[in-house]
Amino acid sequence: MLILDIDRFRQVNFSLGYKAGDILLEQVAIRLQTLEHCPCIVQAGDDEFLLFLHASTQAELTQTIQETQYMFNQPFTVMKQECYLNVSMGISQFTMAPGTMEQALMQADHALLAAKHSGKNKLIAYHPSHSLRYISRIQMETELRKAIYDNQLILYYQPRLELSSGSIICLEALVRWNHPIQGIIPPNEFIPIAEECGLIIPLGEWVLREACRQKMKWTEEGILDYQIAVNISPHQFQEDAFSDKVIQIIEQTGINPTCLEFEITESSIMHNMDATIAILEKLCKKGVSISIDDFGIGYSSLNYLKQFPIHCLKIDRSFVKNIHNNQDDWAITNAIIDLGYALHMQVVAEGVEEMSQLEILKGTTCTTIQGFLLSPPVSVHELEQSFHLHDNRPVIS
């Protein structure tokens, strides 16, 4: 049993229209009907087809699969517009017997999910680990939903050091999941799930509110007088009421908005230029600073740097990592530093882990660094202990 899903079919509908999308699906179905050893084809969803393949030998099955893949190497023509389609496929082999078809369908579906999660545009045969992974993701999604509302999330903070003064000027808030059984779960294990299932919106709102609350507590105690940087996901930024929610949280917590910096990726701000400008100007007018996170690996359109009210560029760690032994990475890093300096922006080198990297950056106009050489992300307790231990001087080893 093979399940075939057309990748990014929604983009076809958006670009060519729904009528063109329907015509394209008809053409896909016509091609699939020419397959040998495929007695039954079912359109199982808007852009998904279920193929029952019947083969006497493994060679016959392999040939049918290859023919299926080859079909999508040829272009489709819709309304005089030529286009190519990529497909993800999951397959499960089974012998006809009572109860085996439903099991095979589930297995093929799990294999398809594995294909889509590992880059799309590929065929993956079912393996038992796919079901375990799928069940694990469902369980994690359920538990994450509870975690957001049951106070299982906590914020760690990673400092940013200004090179000219040698002082910490900002703390980046980074979410962790304090699971009651598994302990601390890092964000790379649950943020992708949150983005897929829509939980990234309430999760992001929790992070912003908690960061503001914590900053107000430090302000009242007269300690850790630094700006707080909060990561804003693309889904969060593109939400209709995003700026209004931000202003509401600022007013409810009482935080001075000039104490906030939002780290936004390039992909977040490039979808709707007019809407982006309106959102950023509204936030900046309130006093919030804007930084571009992971600069250099996204769109990197220099045009938006002059259109948007951006205060800071954060150089992606993938460039900074090898500046001491890779000329290309050093050239790109230095170019971004010079660009930020010329535009009067703060430039942050992320992922600084070795003294050799720091020494190179000190010889440039790079304004600030962040990374494990200065400090890993630490808990509120560790941060406060460090502050008090060093006579209220923020020295973090």
Side-chain angles (χ1 to χ4, degrees):
M1 187 174 294
L2 185 147
I3 301 180
L4 178 153
D5 184 271
I6 302 172
D7 296 331
R8 300 175 68 246
F9 187 71
R10 183 178 294 180
Q11 288 298 115
V12 175
N13 283 330
F14 287 164
S15 302
L16 303 178
Y18 288 97
K19 183 178 179 180
D22 290 341
I23 294 172
L24 198 52
L25 288 172
E26 289 176 9
Q27 292 187 17
V28 170
I30 290 169
R31 286 194 189 182
L32 291 174
Q33 286 168 7
T34 65
L35 284 171
E36 292 187 58
H37 311 296
C38 185
C40 182
I41 300 171
V42 177
Q43 186 173 348
D46 290 342
D47 54 1
E48 196 170 278
F49 292 86
L50 180 62
L51 283 64
F52 293 89
L53 307 180
H54 182 270
S56 302
T57 64
Q58 186 65 41
E60 278 186 3
L61 179 62
T62 301
Q63 182 181 349
T64 304
I65 292 170
Q66 289 174 346
E67 288 174 1
T68 307
Q69 293 173 310
Y70 179 76
M71 286 179 178
F72 293 92
N73 292 336
Q74 311 305 311
F76 293 83
T77 302
V78 181
M79 297 179 175
K80 300 181 180 180
Q81 173 74 46
E82 192 175 77
C83 63
Y84 288 85
L85 296 177
N86 291 332
V87 293
S88 298
M89 293 181 280
I91 188 169
S92 173
Q93 296 188 46
F94 70 105
T95 302
M96 288 295 292
T100 58
M101 188 173 294
E102 183 178 351
Q103 183 183 26
L105 177 60
M106 184 179 294
Q107 291 177 349
D109 201 26
H110 290 176
L112 173 63
L113 284 171
K116 296 187 82 67
H117 288 148
S118 60
K120 302 183 179 181
N121 193 29
K122 63 179 66 174
L123 168 75
I124 287 188
Y126 173 76
H127 185 274
S129 63
H130 297 146
S131 291
L132 292 174
R133 191 179 308 136
Y134 183 72
I135 293 168
S136 176
R137 289 180 72 87
I138 293 293
Q139 183 179 354
M140 183 168 278
E141 179 184 328
T142 302
E143 292 183 359
L144 179 57
R145 192 177 297 273
K146 293 178 181 177
I148 295 172
Y149 301 104
D150 289 353
N151 295 319
Q152 292 179 21
L153 301 179
I154 56 175
L155 290 184
Y156 276 37
Y157 294 86
Q158 187 172 35
R160 186 188 300 173
L161 182 79
E162 185 178 57
L163 290 176
S164 62
S165 65
S167 299
I168 292 168
I169 60 170
C170 183
L171 299 171
E172 180 180 355
L174 299 163
V175 67
R176 301 289 186 268
W177 179 3
N178 189 14
H179 193 280
I181 297 173
Q182 299 180 42
I184 300 296
I185 299 177
N188 62 303
E189 292 188 24
F190 64 87
I191 292 295
I193 295 174
E195 289 177 334
E196 282 181 23
C197 67
L199 287 175
I200 196 66
I201 302 298
L203 191 153
E205 188 175 328
W206 182 91
V207 170
L208 176 58
R209 188 179 296 277
E210 177 62 17
C212 291
R213 186 201 65 78
Q214 184 62 62
K215 174 59 183 174
M216 277 301 297
K217 182 174 181 291
W218 284 331
T219 299
E220 291 166 359
E221 294 174 358
I223 62 172
L224 298 165
D225 185 22
Y226 314 122
Q227 195 174 42
I228 303 294
V230 178
N231 289 278
I232 305 297
S233 79
H235 297 281
Q236 206 178 346
F237 184 79
Q238 291 156 20
E239 194 185 19
D240 288 341
F242 170 68
S243 56
D244 293 332
K245 279 187 178 179
V246 168
I247 292 171
Q248 183 183 51
I249 290 172
I250 287 172
E251 292 174 348
Q252 288 175 346
T253 58
I255 188 176
N256 183 341
T258 60
C259 295
L260 276 179
E261 176 186 288
F262 285 170
E263 296 191 9
I264 302 172
T265 61
E266 294 173 87
S267 60
S268 299
I269 61 177
M270 298 302 290
H271 288 281
N272 185 328
M273 300 288 277
D274 292 338
T276 295
I277 291 172
I279 293 169
L280 295 183
E281 287 184 345
K282 188 174 183 178
L283 293 174
C284 289
K285 187 176 180 181
K286 194 72 176 176
V288 178
S289 300
I290 305 296
S291 71
I292 300 299
D293 198 15
D294 302 333
F295 185 79
I297 64 170
Y299 288 88
S300 297
S301 169
L302 301 184
N303 185 49
Y304 76 73
L305 291 180
K306 68 176 185 179
Q307 291 190 7
F308 300 153
I310 296 166
H311 303 87
C312 173
L313 300 179
K314 297 192 75 176
I315 308 172
D316 186 69
R317 65 184 66 248
S318 63
F319 298 123
V320 177
K321 180 180 179 181
N322 296 313
I323 57 172
H324 53 309
N325 57 24
N326 185 299
Q327 284 299 314
D328 291 339
D329 284 342
W330 164 234
I332 292 170
T333 300
N334 198 39
I336 295 173
I337 291 170
D338 288 343
L339 175 65
Y341 178 77
L343 294 173
H344 308 290
M345 295 180 182
Q346 182 186 147
V347 178
V348 182
E350 290 190 281
V352 178
E353 298 180 357
E354 300 179 24
M355 282 300 299
S356 56
Q357 297 165 335
L358 177 59
E359 291 305 317
I360 291 172
L361 292 167
K362 280 183 175 179
T364 71
T365 53
C366 181
T367 55
T368 42
I369 65 160
Q370 184 176 338
F372 276 51
L373 181 64
L374 175 63
S375 170
V378 294
S379 68
V380 168
H381 175 72
E382 291 173 291
L383 197 61
E384 291 176 348
Q385 284 293 106
S386 176
F387 188 88
H388 292 302
L389 273 175
H390 298 283
D391 195 24
N392 285 2
R393 289 182 293 107
V395 180
I396 302 179
S397 58

